Amino acid sequence: MALTFSTPPVIAGIGVNRLTADDDLFRQLHSLYGNALVNQLAWRFDEPLDPELLARFHARLAQGFLARRVQPARVPFARPYWLPATESIPLGWDSVPVADEGILDWYFAQSRVDFDPESGRVWRLSAAPTTAGGTLVSLVTSHVASDGGAVLFAVGDALAQLDESPDVTTGSGRLVGTPPPNVLGANIIDAGRQLRAVARGIRAAIAARGVVEPDRNPRPALPELPLPTRWSPADLVVQLDLAEWNAAAARHCGTTNGLLIALGAGLFGRSGRVGDTAEIRVDIPHSMRTSDDPRANATTGLPISVTYRTGERVDLAAVRSAVKRAATAYRDPATTPALQHLQPLQMIAPRFVLRRAARTARAPECLCTNLGETASGVADFAGQRARAVLMRPVVCTNDTAMFRRVEVGVNLSFSTDGHTVVLAVTGADPDRFPSRTVLRESLTAEFESWGLTPRFW
């Protein structure tokens, strides 16, 4: 997870909306790995949805905050900028009803999509009926053009305008960006600003050279299971009562967020990736999005170290203290790791350097995303309310060797409507979580240790 500390760009519609270092990083990863990771916002309705309603929803999204494309800058060192998209992927409608036991597979299948940031084909809306008479809806988005906060903002705006004509000038689409009146002059000015930002970043990195982040654990080479050359990570979706969740956290001197982190670290430890008393690095995304923020990605990340002890629950009080320390440290540039100050340099570095760095980069071993009480704000489609709302990163099907090389571990994503928790869990280590069955066994044991009662989809 890259961190953003630069000043947000000028509000689009009255200025140019340049890509941030985070946007640029995800763009480079997309060019190297394609759609290896996408975000998914999904709904599960108990009743049928009118296809015309979904068509209107699609039309509002096509004029909204997600409808953006990358415009490269032709001046060296100048940043690319966002412009309204010139096209979108059509609404997908599967006519074959999905049975209950096929729901997770249907949602995962929606991640098989080719995105193109330079045309604006960076999101896809699809739907299918269920055999029980309901409807499944999925919105898959490219991380180049939106983080979770951007998706929720765009969807909330589109749902609020379902009964209005699509208009890019009045909805969230007004924030996407406009071209500069003098393209060459504006790019020359931005190139100068970037070079100055690089100089400031290098000075700050030198000053912070003694600051370190929690270490990762090296991934053991063995066991290596006999798996196919292409593999799909094990994924599960679980519902729990929020009151039960909070009671378990309070019972062990912790918080709602702390319990999520403890579950993630406990699941990672149970996988066998680390031994007793290991320090697990947990990365915690944190939104930096403000009102009318035009940035595609406005998320920072807080890394903490969590102690795993075999056969014991993770210490929630220790997790709470670690999160507080990390949040305090990342508010001060002097205690921010040196690498984070070099993001302006990342944006102007030669492509071959970035590609080499990306090929040697490692994925988070444990990523825990708390989206809070976001589900209720996007659950209502013109009076029809979803039974459940799911938001998660989807680690897509890829080469088994790639998963081993980047050393990816477990991802957890938490959201609630104020009553029910929807927890999405992905085990992306092919040799520790080769199937959903294996992931479910470990996750069930971890829930039992906290006295939680899961309801698996």
Side-chain angles (χ1 to χ4, degrees):
M1 174 69 66
L3 305 179
T4 300
F5 292 98
S6 56
T7 302
V10 176
I11 296 297
I14 58 172
V16 182
N17 185 12
R18 301 275 177 178
L19 270 67
T20 66
D22 288 341
D23 301 343
D24 185 71
L25 175 62
F26 284 118
R27 185 184 177 211
Q28 295 309 317
L29 291 174
H30 178 270
S31 68
L32 185 62
Y33 293 115
N35 301 321
L37 176 73
V38 297
N39 288 323
Q40 183 177 50
L41 178 59
W43 298 262
R44 187 173 177 179
F45 290 88
D46 284 335
E47 62 277 344
L49 288 186
D50 188 341
E52 190 276 332
L53 173 63
L54 291 172
R56 282 191 282 135
F57 181 41
H58 183 279
R60 283 14 171 225
L61 290 174
Q63 296 292 325
F65 196 70
L66 299 180
R68 57 176 67 204
R69 62 183 175 89
V70 175
Q71 176 61 48
R74 306 302 179 190
V75 173
F77 308 135
R79 294 170 295 169
Y81 50 93
W82 294 109
L83 290 178
T86 53
E87 55 184 286
S88 62
I89 299 172
L91 170 66
W93 180 264
D94 289 348
S95 58
V96 179
V98 180
D100 281 354
E101 60 271 20
I103 287 175
L104 282 184
D105 288 335
W106 185 87
Y107 280 133
F108 186 81
Q110 306 317 300
S111 67
R112 300 188 183 102
V113 56
D114 290 326
F115 288 133
D116 178 15
E118 294 197 5
S119 72
R121 293 170 66 90
V122 290
W123 58 276
R124 179 176 184 259
L125 182 69
S126 53
T130 67
T131 55
T135 308
L136 306 179
V137 181
S138 165
L139 175 63
V140 174
T141 55
S142 167
H143 219 321
V144 178
S146 57
D147 60 12
V151 173
L152 290 168
F153 174 59
V155 168
D157 178 71
L159 291 175
Q161 298 188 68
L162 281 177
D163 294 327
E164 302 175 15
S165 298
D167 188 346
V168 72
T169 64
T170 59
S172 60
R174 75 189 188 283
L175 302 173
V176 168
T178 56
N182 179 350
V183 175
L184 178 61
N187 285 339
I188 290 174
I189 290 172
D190 189 68
R193 288 173 175 166
Q194 278 299 98
L195 291 173
R196 290 192 292 274
V198 168
R200 289 193 302 270
I202 292 174
R203 288 195 297 270
I206 292 172
R209 61 187 179 276
V211 179
V212 296
E213 291 186 333
D215 289 331
R216 292 175 48 90
N217 292 283
R219 180 184 185 275
L222 298 175
E224 185 172 307
L225 302 181
L227 296 170
T229 56
R230 300 277 291 179
W231 181 73
S232 298
D235 63 326
L236 291 169
V237 178
V238 188
Q239 288 186 217
L240 306 101
D241 292 332
L242 179 61
E244 182 185 64
W245 180 287
N246 288 337
R251 196 161 54 243
H252 298 285
C253 304
T255 63
T256 300
N257 190 54
L259 181 54
L260 171 66
I261 294 166
L263 283 167
L267 179 62
F268 185 81
R270 287 177 186 274
S271 74
R273 272 273 291 262
V274 294
D276 188 32
T277 72
E279 294 295 321
I280 298 172
R281 173 172 167 146
V282 179
D283 287 275
I284 310 163
H286 176 67
S287 177
M288 306 292 284
R289 192 165 297 279
T290 59
S291 178
D292 279 349
D293 195 325
R295 290 176 289 177
N297 288 279
T299 304
T300 189
L302 300 179
I304 66 169
S305 183
V306 176
T307 304
Y308 173 75
R309 293 182 174 86
T310 304
E312 298 182 18
R313 289 182 294 268
V314 169
D315 186 339
L316 292 192
V319 169
R320 189 173 192 172
S321 297
V323 171
K324 285 184 178 180
R325 287 195 302 272
T328 300
Y330 271 71
R331 282 195 290 266
D332 183 354
T335 52
T336 299
L339 187 62
Q340 309 306 330
H341 295 291
L342 297 179
Q343 287 191 323
L345 180 61
Q346 163 206 311
M347 294 194 72
I348 69 169
R351 298 296 99 170
F352 76 88
V353 173
L354 294 176
R355 284 178 175 270
R356 181 176 178 82
R359 288 188 182 278
T360 59
R362 297 293 180 264
E365 58 184 20
C366 183
L367 179 68
C368 294
T369 304
N370 184 353
L371 296 161
E373 196 170 329
T374 56
S376 58
V378 294
D380 192 286
F381 277 50
Q384 291 182 264
R385 193 165 185 84
R387 165 185 168 185
V389 179
L390 164 68
M391 192 165 191
R392 63 175 180 172
V394 179
V395 185
C396 303
T397 303
N398 215 310
D399 296 337
T400 307
M402 186 276 291
F403 288 109
R404 291 169 175 150
R405 184 178 69 251
V406 302
E407 300 184 353
V408 62
V410 297
N411 292 346
L412 282 75
S413 182
F414 170 106
S415 64
T416 178
D417 60 4
H419 303 284
T420 302
V421 171
V422 177
L423 185 68
V425 183
T426 301
D429 184 324
D431 301 305
R432 273 80 192 177
F433 302 106
S435 67
R436 280 190 188 135
T437 299
V438 173
L439 175 60
R440 181 164 175 163
E441 289 173 354
S442 294
L443 189 58
T444 298
E446 187 64 22
F447 281 137
E448 287 178 352
S449 73
W450 293 96
L452 295 172
T453 309
R455 301 184 296 277
F456 289 91
W457 282 21

